[in-house]
Amino acid sequence: MNMRGMWTYWGYIAAAALIAAWSSGAATAVLVVLSLAVVSYAAFQLPVWCGAVNRNGTYCRRNASGILMGCGLRQHRWQKIKLMVLRSKAGDISRAVFPTAKEKFGAFIAVGGLASAVAAVIVPVVTG
Ligand SMILES: [Zn+2]
């Protein structure tokens, strides 16, 4: 894997480091920082398809960075955020916004990272 590839997928490395940190009982600060790194990677950098709906009803297949972002078309970014809200109300968010396995995985690590950040803060409080 070259450096560019490494940079594209650093979020996976952060996710692996996060799992290792949890299993080795790392400090809360370390867990929170790694969790937030994983979440922001999935939200703003993970290479995915844009996924906004074109006028002819097909999904936009241009490259986008992060599951929250659209492609270069500004209209698509707004549309994506709007659709995410609408479709989550309709209970169809996973199929509509994350049509591919890669995007589902992105959503999975984003949610996992968020849960991890929350848990990192709550667990020390609960366990004292
Ligand atoms: Zn697009």
Side-chain angles (χ1 to χ4, degrees), residues 16-126:
L18 177 61
I19 293 164
W22 269 111
S23 50
S24 67
T28 301
V30 174
L31 294 172
V32 171
V33 168
L34 282 174
S35 303
L36 294 181
V38 170
V39 172
S40 36
Y41 171 80
F44 302 113
Q45 209 188 351
L46 184 74
V48 291
W49 281 334
C50 167
V53 181
N54 292 314
R55 271 163 213 238
N56 61 9
T58 58
Y59 288 116
C60 176
R61 287 298 185 227
R62 290 170 56 146
N63 290 327
S65 291
I67 55 174
L68 289 183
M69 307 298 280
C71 63
L73 300 170
R74 202 157 67 152
Q75 205 187 342
H76 277 183
R77 289 185 196 168
W78 282 112
Q79 193 203 35
K80 226 183 152 181
I81 292 167
K82 224 161 43 183
L83 284 177
M84 228 179 251
V85 174
L86 285 175
R87 283 175 175 150
S88 60
K89 279 185 193 147
D92 195 21
I93 188 164
S94 65
R95 213 176 338 153
V97 184
F98 312 116
T100 69
K102 201 166 162 189
E103 284 157 320
K104 283 196 181 71
F105 183 69
F108 173 75
I109 62 173
V111 170
L114 267 183
S116 165
V118 171
V121 173
I122 289 174
V123 167
V125 175
V126 174

